Amino acid sequence: MRLDDIDQVILIDRLSFSLPWPASAFRHELVNNPSSLLWVAEQDMADGDPCVVGAVVVWMIMDEAHIATLAVHPDYRRHGISQQLLVTVLRQAIERGAALATLEVRANNQAAQSLYKKFKFEIVGRRPRYYQDNFEDALIMTVDLSQRISPKLSYLEWLETNREASRLPNPEEVRFDS
Ligand SMILES: CC(C)(COP(=O)(O)OP(=O)(O)OC[C@H]1O[C@@H](n2cnc3c(N)ncnc32)[C@H](O)[C@@H]1OP(=O)(O)O)[C@@H](O)C(=O)NCCC(=O)NCCS
């Protein structure tokens, strides 16, 4: 993610969340927080110009990677873009020493929970009435990034196989920029 992506990122955020981040929050993460990992997915439009279609922000806190926000533009959902963003950012987090990834997700957000379960996140707790707009509970989900999926396969190696297996409409046209 670069500063000039922010206008497109906040548009996606507003289309995706009832409590979207303001532009200043993304700007702060990009400029002032060296522990923040920020990626966008871009798709080339018909005119050849790239357009941001998804974004993820992860905070590195000691050996924990906290997924702070993840959203894909509604017109580009169910094409594997959030999987690609997660593979990309989790790989970077592991390379920076993360042993655990964690996040909060709305109790009613089945799509996101299903996505995270694909990445072997498990529900480990609940924060009652966590969200200020409707007092919905948050579920806490975590995944052990240092686990071995099999004797021969680390989580990181498994992530790479996941990248290859995930569906993209046109892999050449979607780029992942940090
Ligand atoms: C959740 C979200 C990021 C998924 O993005 P996406 O690019 O459409 O997801 P993908 O195409 O990569 O799908 C990956 C997996 O997520 C799950 N998933 C995604 N959308 C789903 C839906 N509408 N219903 C059920 N499962 C869904 C599935 O397990 C899917 O795998 P599959 O296609 O093999 O079934 C997107 O719906 C979104 O931006 N939602 C609003 C913001 C949000 O809730 N963010 C998460 C905050 S914690």
Side-chain angles (χ1 to χ4, degrees), residues 17 21 29 36 56-59 65-70 102-104:
F17 296 113
W21 286 15
E29 295 302 326
S36 199
V56 64
V57 179
V58 166
W59 293 319
H66 187 106
I67 299 176
T69 187
L70 167 66
T102 182
L103 58 90
E104 281 104 15

Side-chain angles (χ1 to χ4, degrees), residues 12 15-17 67 69-73 76-84 103-106 109-112 114-116 118-119 131 167:
I12 295 169
L15 291 169
S16 301
F17 296 113
I67 299 176
T69 187
L70 167 66
V72 171
H73 190 291
Y76 291 88
R77 290 184 187 161
R78 300 312 302 258
H79 292 302
I81 291 172
S82 72
Q83 288 186 83
Q84 294 279 326
L103 58 90
E104 281 104 15
V105 58
R106 285 179 189 261
N109 190 346
Q110 296 298 336
S114 162
L115 165 70
Y116 297 127
K118 271 192 101 168
F119 282 77
Y131 293 98
R167 300 172 296 109

Side-chain angles (χ1 to χ4, degrees), residues 9-28:
V9 169
I10 60 167
L11 174 69
I12 295 169
D13 223 51
R14 284 181 193 150
L15 291 169
S16 301
F17 296 113
S18 48
L19 297 170
W21 286 15
S24 57
F26 286 102
R27 208 172 297 119
H28 169 76

Side-chain angles (χ1 to χ4, degrees), residues 23-155:
S24 57
F26 286 102
R27 208 172 297 119
H28 169 76
E29 295 302 326
L30 265 174
V31 175
N32 302 320
N33 188 356
S35 304
S36 199
L37 315 179
L38 302 102
W39 288 83
V40 292
E42 288 180 334
Q43 173 118 29
D44 287 329
M45 297 292 111
D47 60 7
D49 284 343
C51 179
V52 174
V53 293
V56 64
V57 179
V58 166
W59 293 319
M60 292 293 295
I61 306 164
M62 309 293 278
D63 64 351
E64 271 189 38
H66 187 106
I67 299 176
T69 187
L70 167 66
V72 171
H73 190 291
D75 293 346
Y76 291 88
R77 290 184 187 161
R78 300 312 302 258
H79 292 302
I81 291 172
S82 72
Q83 288 186 83
Q84 294 279 326
L85 281 166
L86 270 183
V87 169
T88 303
V89 78
L90 288 177
R91 182 181 57 180
Q92 188 186 20
I94 293 168
E95 285 167 357
R96 293 217 187 163
L100 186 87
T102 182
L103 58 90
E104 281 104 15
V105 58
R106 285 179 189 261
N108 287 328
N109 190 346
Q110 296 298 336
Q113 288 170 43
S114 162
L115 165 70
Y116 297 127
K117 282 176 185 163
K118 271 192 101 168
F119 282 77
K120 305 195 182 291
F121 283 77
E122 291 171 355
I123 296 168
V124 295
R126 178 181 281 265
R127 298 193 202 284
R129 300 169 62 81
Y130 180 77
Y131 293 98
Q132 288 169 8
D133 56 339
N134 63 353
F135 301 109
E136 191 175 345
D137 292 356
L139 302 180
I140 304 165
M141 299 183 79
T142 64
V143 62
D144 176 0
L145 300 172
S146 62
Q147 69 179 284
R148 297 201 74 79
I149 303 301
S150 72
K152 287 188 174 172
L153 202 62
S154 68
Y155 185 84

